[in-house]
């Protein structure tokens, strides 16, 4: 039996050179290769290279999925873009953090998931990875807490502590929410952290993108010289590459407040109860929206009921199964439309005429048995 595997890698900082594209072509003769991406799928073979090595050498984000449910996401940033203390989320399986001379690569894996994914879904999810990388580069590290929280809610007491930073975990970004859903991060996990942050001392966030002029004003003369030197040496310099060159990474000594698995224990039950309430409220809102949409549709049917009676009669006379299905749907809609408008007394005589008209069409009569029962209940109640 064949199996389907899909790879898509993107270069965000700079472009692939002609030499690099030629090197990638030696890996796959079938891949779609441009100055910014590499895409290929396989049914009977596999990629003739390690994805992590391709990421390290050529790309900034990537995604792999297989039709048996495995998904792997790759996200690369400059080596000092993120405080090294966050490397503690590496568990050797679902999260791997690899630091090279010129990069820091995160690999997030799930062996099976309940969501069907196709190539278009993978491309859409790649957009989330681009946003997640941008968030990390801007100082929003919430992504890195999510897999840690999944292990914490499952009772893993071996987790290393993370800095307790006052991020907004009650309202994740769209990309973070998509990641949490795909990788099975339960909402009660980040709800518990939100509750902890509201009742504990923590470090303030330093997230935000300054205007170009403000960023330049904050640079020292030595930083400006470093950026100019790099620009002349390489011929180009993206904003992310520039930030990475002058960024001064924080160390463990820079943090005073810490998140540990035990610090969340007090909040698990309350977080679960809150998630349950939110789900019930969301379900109530969904049902109410469905009710209002149905009511609107039935009122439209009632407003043009003569047309629907004609349609039901027309379909009943066509003498085949699909037409009978349409006739039955029309009649059930008419019944509901009259009912919500308190006009069943008007409906019943008209229906009796229709029923007499179709009494020899046994297949259609059978389709209307449940409707006949409802009409019988109505007549028995008056």
């Amino acid at each position: 039996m064949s199996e389907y595997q899909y790879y898509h890698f993107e270069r965000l900082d700079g472009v692939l050179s002609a030499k690099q594209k030629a090197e990638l072509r030696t890996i796959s003769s079938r891949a779609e290769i441009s100055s910014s991406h590499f895409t290929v799928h396989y049914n009977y073979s596999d990629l003739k290279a390690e994805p992590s090595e391709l990421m390290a050498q050529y790309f900034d984000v990537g995604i792999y999925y297989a039709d048996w449910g495995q998904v792997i996401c790759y996200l690369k940033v400059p080596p000092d873009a993120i405080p090294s203390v966050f490397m503690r989320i590496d568990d050797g399986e679902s999260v791997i953090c690899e630091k090279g001379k010129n990069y820091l690569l995160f690999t997030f894996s799930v062996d099976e998931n309940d969501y069907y994914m196709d190539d278009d879904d993978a491309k859409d999810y790649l957009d989330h990875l681009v946003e997640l990388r941008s968030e990390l580069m801007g100082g929003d590290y919430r992504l890195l807490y999510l897999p840690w929280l999944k292990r914490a809610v499952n009772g893993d007491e071996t987790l290393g502590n993370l800095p307790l930073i006052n991020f907004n975990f009650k309202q994740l970004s769209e990309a973070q929410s998509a990641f949490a859903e795909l990788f099975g991060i339960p909402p009660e996990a980040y709800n518990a952290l939100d509750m902890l942050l509201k009742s504990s001392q923590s470090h303030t966030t330093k997230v935000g993108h300054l205007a170009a002029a403000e960023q330049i004003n904050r640079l020292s003369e030595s930083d400006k010289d470093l950026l100019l030197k790099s620009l002349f040496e390489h011929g180009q310099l993206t904003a992310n590459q520039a930030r990475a060159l002058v960024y001064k990474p924080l160390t463990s000594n820079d943090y005073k407040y810490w998140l540990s698995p035990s610090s969340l224990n007090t909040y698990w039950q309350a977080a679960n109860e809150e998630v349950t309430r939110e789900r019930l409220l969301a379900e109530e809102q969904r049902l109410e929206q469905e009710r209002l949409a149905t009511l609107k549709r039935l009122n439209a049917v009632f407003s043009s009921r003569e047309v629907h009676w004609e349609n039901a009669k027309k379909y009943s006379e066509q003498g085949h199964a699909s037409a009978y299905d349409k006739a039955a749907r029309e009649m059930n809609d008419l019944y509901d439309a009259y009912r919500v408008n308190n006009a069943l007394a008007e409906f019943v005589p008209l229906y009796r005429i229709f029923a007499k008209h179709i009494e020899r069409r046994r297949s259609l009569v059978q389709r209307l048995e449940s409707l006949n029962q409802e009409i019988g209940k109505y007549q028995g109640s008056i």
Side-chain angles (χ1 to χ4, degrees):
M1 180 181 294
S2 66
E3 53 192 33
Y4 187 85
Q5 300 180 84
Y6 174 91
Y7 297 86
H8 189 132
F9 304 101
E10 288 276 348
R11 176 76 165 258
L12 303 177
D13 291 339
V15 296
L16 294 168
S17 67
K19 179 176 180 295
Q20 289 173 321
K21 287 189 286 185
E23 291 168 351
L24 291 169
R25 181 56 69 196
T26 64
I27 295 170
S28 172
S29 60
R30 299 192 300 110
E32 178 184 308
I33 301 173
S34 75
S35 59
S36 62
H37 77 268
F38 175 101
T39 306
V40 68
H41 70 267
Y42 296 95
N43 292 99
Y44 295 97
S45 57
D46 200 355
L47 189 66
K48 295 177 175 62
E50 283 296 325
S52 59
E53 294 178 4
L54 293 182
M55 285 294 305
Q57 190 170 355
Y58 301 105
F59 301 105
D60 297 306
V61 294
I63 188 168
Y64 160 87
Y65 84 89
D67 59 3
W68 58 82
Q70 186 179 27
V71 178
I72 304 176
C73 296
Y74 304 92
L75 196 155
K76 187 179 78 177
V77 296
D80 295 322
I82 296 169
S84 60
V85 67
F86 283 99
M87 303 309 101
R88 294 175 181 178
I89 67 172
D90 186 331
D91 63 5
E93 295 180 7
S94 61
V95 184
I96 297 175
C97 309
E98 177 188 336
K99 188 167 186 177
K101 181 180 179 181
N102 299 312
Y103 67 90
L104 175 59
L105 176 63
F106 294 95
T107 303
F108 303 98
S109 306
V110 59
D111 288 335
E112 293 182 5
N113 72 86
D114 297 329
Y115 302 99
Y116 173 79
M117 181 177 283
D118 59 24
D119 293 0
D120 289 335
D121 294 325
K123 290 173 184 175
D124 289 342
Y125 201 83
L126 202 73
D127 292 336
H128 291 312
L129 292 177
V130 172
E131 182 60 27
L132 290 170
R133 181 177 186 267
S134 177
E135 291 170 352
L136 288 177
M137 298 285 286
D140 183 348
Y141 306 136
R142 284 179 290 177
L143 167 67
L144 305 180
Y145 286 87
L146 295 178
W148 187 97
L149 286 167
K150 182 178 181 180
R151 293 170 61 195
V153 79
N154 289 331
D156 188 343
E157 295 289 341
T158 66
L159 289 166
N161 295 346
L162 294 182
L164 189 59
I165 303 175
N166 193 25
F167 292 114
N168 181 4
F169 283 92
K170 187 63 178 176
Q171 187 65 50
L172 299 180
S173 70
E174 181 181 352
Q176 291 160 1
S177 295
F179 179 93
E181 182 177 10
L182 179 62
F183 285 88
I185 318 295
E188 53 267 31
Y190 41 89
N191 272 22
L193 178 51
D194 179 72
M195 292 177 178
L196 171 63
L197 286 167
K198 288 176 179 176
S199 60
S200 307
Q201 288 185 300
S202 59
H203 297 277
T204 58
T205 58
K206 297 180 180 179
V207 179
H209 297 286
L210 300 175
E214 293 177 287
Q215 294 187 57
I216 292 172
N217 289 336
R218 293 190 176 196
L219 294 174
S220 66
E221 291 301 319
S222 61
D223 284 340
K224 293 177 183 178
D225 290 341
L226 176 62
L227 292 175
L228 284 171
K229 180 175 181 292
S230 180
L231 177 61
F232 282 112
E233 285 180 348
H234 300 286
Q236 61 182 5
L237 193 64
T238 67
N240 283 336
Q241 289 170 332
R243 292 190 194 99
L245 285 171
V246 299
Y247 175 73
K248 306 299 187 294
L250 298 176
T251 67
S252 296
N253 295 330
D254 295 306
Y255 294 106
K256 181 180 179 181
Y257 308 109
W258 295 90
L259 171 65
S260 66
S262 60
S263 66
L264 291 168
N265 289 341
T266 306
Y267 302 95
W268 290 135
Q269 182 176 347
N272 272 296
E273 291 172 353
E274 183 175 71
V275 169
T276 299
R277 287 194 299 271
E278 290 172 348
R279 285 173 176 163
L280 288 174
L281 178 60
E283 179 64 10
E284 289 174 2
Q285 292 173 340
R286 183 188 68 80
L287 291 174
E288 178 62 10
Q289 289 174 351
E290 286 185 358
R291 186 189 71 81
L292 292 174
T294 299
L295 184 60
K296 181 179 179 180
R297 183 179 65 82
L298 292 176
N299 282 331
V301 170
F302 190 74
S303 296
S304 57
R305 50 193 179 277
E306 293 84 1
V307 174
H308 290 276
W309 280 109
E310 288 297 325
N311 286 341
K313 185 175 182 296
K314 177 183 68 176
Y315 293 138
S316 71
E317 293 172 348
Q318 291 179 6
H320 55 84
S322 62
Y324 287 165
D325 288 340
K326 292 178 182 178
R329 282 196 296 269
E330 288 282 6
M331 199 52 59
N332 279 284
D333 280 350
L334 280 165
Y335 172 82
D336 289 333
Y338 278 84
R339 176 179 53 80
V340 298
N341 283 278
N342 297 314
L344 283 178
E346 177 187 340
F347 172 82
V348 172
L350 295 172
Y351 178 74
R352 292 304 180 198
I353 295 171
F354 177 81
K356 182 67 174 176
H357 176 72
I358 65 162
E359 61 184 358
R360 294 186 179 182
R361 301 181 185 275
R362 294 182 180 179
S363 182
L364 177 54
V365 171
Q366 289 176 352
R367 285 168 166 82
L368 295 171
E369 282 183 0
S370 60
L371 177 57
N372 289 324
Q373 291 173 7
E374 289 297 317
I375 293 172
K377 291 177 183 178
Y378 162 72
Q379 291 182 310
S381 68
I382 59 176

